[in-house]
Amino acid sequence: MIQKKNIENTCSPDTPTTHTINTNATSSDSKGENLCSATQATAVQKSTTKPPSTNAVSTLATSPHRVDAVKKHRFERYRRAVKGTVDHLPVPQAFQSFETNYPHGIHPGLVPGIGIEEQKVTYRLDVVGLVVTGSLIVAFIAWGIISTQSLTSTADALLAWVITNLGWFFSVLAAVVLLAMLWIAVSRYGNIPLGRDDEEPEYSFGSWVAMMFAAGMGIGLLFFGAYEPMTYFLNPPPGSQVEPGTYGALNAAMAQTLLHWGLNAWAIYALVGVSVAYGAYRRGRAPLMSRIFIPLLGHKMAEGGPGRIIDMLAIATTVFGTAASLGIGAVQIVHGIEIVGGFGRLGNSVLIIIICVLTAAFIASAVSGVSRGIKYLSNINMVMAIALAIFIFFAGPTIFLLDLIPTSAMNYLYQMPNLLSRSPAWGPDTGEFVAGWTVFYWAWWVSWSPFVGMFIARISRGRTIRQFIFVVLFIPTTVCMLSFIIYGGTAMDLYLTKDIDVFTGADAEYVLFNVLNELPATAVTSTVAMICLGIFFVTSADSASVVMGSLSQQGKPTPNRLVVAFWGLCLAGIAIVGLLAGGNHALKGLQNLIIVTAVPFAIIVAFMLVALWRDLSRDPYTIRNQFARKALAKAVRGGLAQYGDDFKIVVVPTPQGEGVGADFDSTAPELTQWYQRTDEEGNPVGFDYEINRYLDEHGNPMPHTDEDGNPLEHDEVVAEYLSADCVRDAAHSVGSGGHGDRDGTVDMQASDVKTGKQSDGKQLLSNETNAEVPGRKNT
């Protein structure tokens, strides 16, 4: 007899056949969900009647009038699907449960989830979005090249307005998103999988963490690694109350740096990433920013004009955010060439040439099919970057850096609330500092969130939301912390112990090479740093171009090459314009562009949090969890009141309106509309969730095919219908008694737990309920 842990088929002469769940063991499925559902505890007398023998393959939880439904519908549909007689086969458990009458054929609490690859989707080029967004960006590039001064003055004016009126919004957003992500992770929503129920993770934990580790490495860590801590070390932020160039300033500098690169930054990425992953792998939605807002806007608006605007803003902010990274990487490469090659100061012409060469490289990789080689190159580059950091760690002040690791981590966590609270309300100096640094970083992370969010979503399928959030928050944050401790700690130690200033009088792009100049093998390490920067430039731009191409084609995994190339050229153009707008202070020009262009998408990120919460509150797991808690609370209270220590919980049907779901509308559109399957044109089509098959116009399952579209043989089809998926899905229906939500209650049965006896025995189905089903022999 098919059984699930702690569940057994029971009946008595006086009660309908039921499922019994022993309370001396936790009644839960593999994810910790309670399997029973009820609103009241009704006493059931002890039965000493010897249970009749029964067929090993029995009809679960059925009464005679229910068997007719099995005869006329489920088993006939099963028999037609396999196109042959199945007298010699046992009936799959999925076809032994109650007939349901819910929208789309399944209770919303039992939907196992939908992966995007299961949907019938035709990816079309969003011509309007591409033309409008592309035209605006091309016009912006032309404006910057033709009239750089005009663009600069306009950007400065917009920046001043944003900082004055919306600087607070960025700071509040960074704090609220972090708190929200932590709350979701520790709440009951943390158990929801980013995929179908019981779906295995796509990557092993080690590989997943390694890829997340790689996400924490990039151009920014090399560019700012020594420069940013040294900036705060010699010019402490307002309100720090420390003397410049002291050990107190060192710890204040590390705390401020980690605030900008730590948990708040990765919380923004985690929000976008978990929203994309949940929508694509749990709800079957296209991996687009617009589809995240279906809970707020509805399908029509999310797939229409408002949704199109959201995707266009996501593309625009990705262009500017990624271009800023490419710009600072190119600047640092040029100055590395100056140092290693012994050249004098190279002008903008060389900088533009470097950007053009690297742009040609990443566009070639994106459109020519050599992406696999680029991936290998990226892995090699990560190894080189780690090797460079390890070399500095051992060649520099190793013991001092080891001491700095726990000190910086604890000091950062201790000072985080105080650092997050700083704003212009602390005074003009603090306001200027926050505008130039903190707000810039919050805007930068927002602008990178569509790109990084989609990357970490792609590698996290099958993980629970709790795993996803904790790993995304803490693994990359740890990588960033170690990187800044190594680069920044070494630079500050040179100042404190050797009176060597690698910062004063140097532009930001020179600080890294000044640090390397004070260590052995300067020429080698400087060359490695330039190579790393160049490869980071190529791989980051390659991936960002593909992401923007995907956003332009309704989430297509492999976007059109011409579209990818177009966005790659836009990246290069924006990087050049940003550098020209900054003049002799290239970083300033890039910062201004990032802050101004990130404002619209920052507002979108804020509403994304609301959309995600609404999605999670309606998830099938959440529905089952609510039923379980409500049922068990009532049942256990009633059992203790009537039987004390010795009772067990039994699922039985109740009259409509008296069960656990009496106040729950399982047909509400907001709960059922999302799993209505559609064809390539968006028209509703039938789908059987118990056998996981599309249905034709007559309600028959569509032919089974392999990955190449070839029909499966008869035996292969039968094997698929008898797979563990059918049994697992039926087991979920057992959890609600097979009755859905309106007519299920949990009753108490007394048992001699203390003596080890179960007075009612292990009651199986009676001969009356073990009715004959066509196509299966009674034995």
Side-chain angles (χ1 to χ4, degrees):
M1 180 175 64
I2 302 174
Q3 292 189 11
K4 186 173 178 69
K5 184 179 180 181
N6 300 330
I7 301 178
E8 52 189 353
N9 297 324
T10 66
C11 70
S12 71
D14 303 320
T15 61
T17 303
T18 59
H19 298 300
T20 300
I21 304 177
N22 293 327
T23 56
N24 57 357
T26 302
S27 59
S28 63
D29 64 9
S30 61
K31 292 187 178 298
E33 301 173 45
N34 298 315
L35 291 173
C36 58
S37 64
T39 55
Q40 60 187 25
T42 304
V44 177
Q45 299 297 322
K46 295 183 181 180
S47 172
T48 57
T49 305
K50 183 178 179 181
S53 60
T54 185
N55 183 356
V57 181
S58 56
T59 304
L60 297 181
T62 59
S63 57
H65 72 277
R66 290 288 187 177
V67 175
D68 291 337
V70 178
K71 290 180 181 179
K72 296 178 180 179
H73 185 73
R74 295 189 183 280
F75 191 75
E76 287 300 323
R77 185 170 61 194
Y78 167 69
R79 186 167 58 183
R80 288 197 304 268
V82 298
K83 296 180 175 62
T85 59
V86 289
D87 291 350
H88 63 288
L89 295 174
V91 179
Q93 189 170 353
F95 305 121
Q96 301 167 4
S97 60
F98 280 103
E99 177 66 10
T100 60
N101 193 26
Y102 297 104
H104 324 310
I106 187 171
H107 189 284
L110 297 177
V111 181
I114 307 171
I116 180 60
E117 76 286 344
E118 300 175 37
Q119 300 282 52
K120 296 178 180 289
V121 180
T122 298
Y123 297 103
R124 297 183 177 89
L125 177 64
D126 182 4
V127 178
V128 174
L130 178 63
V131 170
V132 173
T133 310
S135 298
L136 291 175
I137 291 176
V138 170
F140 179 88
I141 295 172
W143 180 17
I145 294 175
I146 295 171
S147 181
T148 305
Q149 186 57 42
S150 172
L151 173 63
T152 301
S153 60
T154 303
D156 289 342
L158 289 173
L159 175 68
W161 186 90
V162 169
I163 294 301
T164 302
N165 296 281
L166 295 176
W168 63 270
F169 174 69
F170 281 102
S171 297
V172 170
L173 181 67
V176 169
V177 170
L178 174 59
L179 293 175
M181 288 295 97
L182 291 173
W183 178 80
I184 289 175
V186 300
S187 72
R188 64 181 184 274
Y189 298 143
N191 289 323
I192 297 175
L194 299 175
R196 291 170 57 87
D197 290 345
D198 302 324
E199 182 173 347
E200 293 296 324
E202 190 171 2
Y203 299 98
S204 68
F205 186 80
S207 298
W208 182 48
V209 170
M211 287 186 283
M212 202 67 68
F213 178 85
M217 305 295 292
I219 291 173
L221 295 185
L222 291 176
F223 186 92
F224 290 97
Y227 167 70
E228 187 171 351
M230 282 298 294
T231 299
Y232 308 144
F233 174 67
L234 296 178
N235 302 284
S240 299
Q241 299 179 346
V242 293
E243 292 295 323
T246 63
Y247 283 99
L250 180 149
N251 287 289
M254 291 305 304
Q256 187 69 54
T257 302
L258 294 180
L259 174 73
H260 294 156
W261 291 79
L263 296 174
N264 296 91
W266 288 95
I268 295 173
Y269 292 159
L271 170 59
V272 178
V274 76
S275 299
V276 172
Y278 176 83
Y281 306 134
R282 182 73 171 169
R283 297 267 184 169
R285 300 169 184 158
L288 295 169
M289 298 299 114
S290 59
R291 301 306 189 264
I292 296 172
F293 292 89
I294 288 178
L296 298 182
L297 301 177
H299 283 274
K300 186 175 182 180
M301 294 183 69
E303 297 174 5
R308 181 173 289 168
I309 292 174
I310 291 173
D311 290 331
M312 289 165 59
L313 290 173
I315 293 172
T317 193
T318 301
V319 168
F320 282 94
T322 308
S325 293
L326 303 184
I328 63 176
V331 169
Q332 201 164 30
I333 291 171
V334 168
H335 291 301
I337 293 174
E338 293 174 356
I339 294 173
V340 174
F343 302 108
R345 188 93 172 187
L346 299 176
N348 283 339
S349 59
V350 176
L351 179 61
I352 293 174
I353 291 173
I354 292 293
I355 292 178
C356 291
V357 171
L358 294 175
T359 299
F362 79 74
I363 289 179
S365 72
V367 303
S368 64
V370 297
S371 298
R372 174 166 242 159
I374 292 297
K375 290 180 181 178
Y376 287 130
L377 191 61
S378 178
N379 292 335
I380 294 172
N381 191 51
M382 186 180 71
V383 172
M384 291 174 62
I386 295 174
L388 179 63
I390 292 174
F391 171 81
I392 296 173
F393 178 80
F394 286 105
T398 306
I399 301 301
F400 173 74
L401 297 179
L402 287 172
D403 291 335
L404 194 56
I405 292 174
T407 300
S408 297
M410 300 308 298
N411 193 40
Y412 157 58
L413 295 175
Y414 175 74
Q415 293 197 37
M416 183 189 295
N418 177 271
L419 296 175
L420 284 171
S421 70
R422 291 181 181 175
S423 69
W426 285 47
D429 292 342
T430 301
E432 184 178 353
F433 174 84
V434 170
W437 285 99
T438 307
V439 173
F440 157 68
Y441 273 117
W442 300 154
W444 200 6
W445 305 144
V446 166
S447 67
W448 265 71
S449 60
F451 168 33
V452 178
M454 290 184 72
F455 166 73
I456 58 179
R458 172 63 187 84
I459 65 174
S460 302
R461 182 168 189 170
R463 298 290 168 185
T464 64
I465 289 178
R466 179 175 295 117
Q467 287 177 319
F468 179 92
I469 291 176
F470 281 144
V471 169
V472 170
L473 287 182
F474 292 103
I475 296 299
T477 295
T478 301
V479 173
C480 291
M481 180 186 72
L482 294 176
S483 180
F484 280 104
I485 286 174
I486 291 172
Y487 289 101
T490 300
M492 290 184 285
D493 181 77
L494 288 173
Y495 184 93
L496 290 169
T497 61
K498 299 181 180 179
D499 200 26
I500 297 175
D501 187 355
V502 299
F503 177 80
T504 303
D507 291 332
E509 54 269 21
Y510 282 101
V511 176
L512 171 63
F513 296 104
N514 290 346
V515 172
L516 296 177
N517 191 52
E518 301 300 326
L519 301 175
T522 299
V524 175
T525 54
S526 297
T527 301
V528 170
M530 283 192 299
I531 294 173
C532 288
L533 287 166
I535 297 177
F536 277 135
F537 186 112
V538 171
T539 55
S540 297
D542 182 337
S543 300
S545 299
V546 172
V547 167
M548 290 185 290
S550 179
L551 291 173
S552 300
Q553 294 179 267
Q554 300 181 336
K556 186 177 182 180
T558 54
N560 183 278
R561 294 178 180 181
L562 292 178
V563 175
V564 172
F566 170 75
W567 290 123
L569 292 173
C570 288
L571 282 176
I574 295 294
I576 292 172
V577 168
L579 294 172
L580 294 177
N584 294 328
H585 302 283
L587 180 60
K588 181 178 180 296
L590 295 169
Q591 286 177 322
N592 293 352
L593 292 179
I594 289 173
I595 294 174
V596 171
T597 57
V599 171
F601 200 74
I603 298 173
I604 290 174
V605 168
F607 282 100
M608 189 179 296
L609 189 59
V610 180
L612 176 64
W613 173 82
R614 181 167 292 185
D615 253 346
L616 298 181
S617 66
R618 298 169 177 173
D619 186 84
Y621 177 91
T622 304
I623 294 173
R624 296 196 299 268
N625 188 271
Q626 291 171 344
F627 269 68
R629 288 186 294 115
K630 190 175 182 180
L632 283 179
K634 190 75 173 180
V636 170
R637 190 180 298 113
L640 291 173
Q642 295 183 53
Y643 300 114
D645 296 341
D646 306 325
F647 65 90
K648 60 185 175 183
I649 301 173
V650 183
V651 178
V652 298
T654 66
Q656 186 172 353
E658 297 181 12
V660 64
D663 57 351
F664 182 83
D665 185 3
S666 57
T667 64
E670 62 269 20
L671 298 178
T672 61
Q673 194 176 51
W674 69 273
Y675 58 88
Q676 167 66 68
R677 297 298 183 95
T678 59
D679 60 18
E680 291 82 353
E681 303 301 322
N683 302 312
V685 294
F687 190 87
D688 191 321
Y689 280 89
E690 291 191 341
I691 59 176
N692 201 36
R693 290 326 245 167
Y694 281 95
L695 306 177
D696 60 21
E697 62 274 15
H698 303 295
N700 298 320
M702 300 288 283
H704 289 244
T705 58
D706 59 19
E707 294 181 356
D708 298 323
N710 301 315
L712 294 174
E713 296 295 330
H714 170 78
D715 290 343
E716 294 175 308
V717 176
V718 171
E720 181 171 346
Y721 273 81
L722 296 176
S723 67
D725 286 342
C726 288
V727 176
R728 186 193 66 221
D729 292 343
H732 284 306
S733 69
V734 170
S736 60
H739 309 290
D741 56 343
R742 290 185 175 81
D743 55 352
T745 186
V746 177
D747 291 347
M748 299 299 112
Q749 286 192 355
S751 61
D752 245 332
V753 176
K754 292 180 180 179
T755 61
K757 299 178 181 178
Q758 185 172 305
S759 57
D760 63 315
K762 186 180 277 189
Q763 299 178 357
L764 303 178
L765 293 174
S766 66
N767 290 329
E768 178 185 16
T769 59
N770 185 28
E772 186 176 336
V773 177
R776 176 170 61 85
K777 295 179 180 179
N778 263 6
T779 58

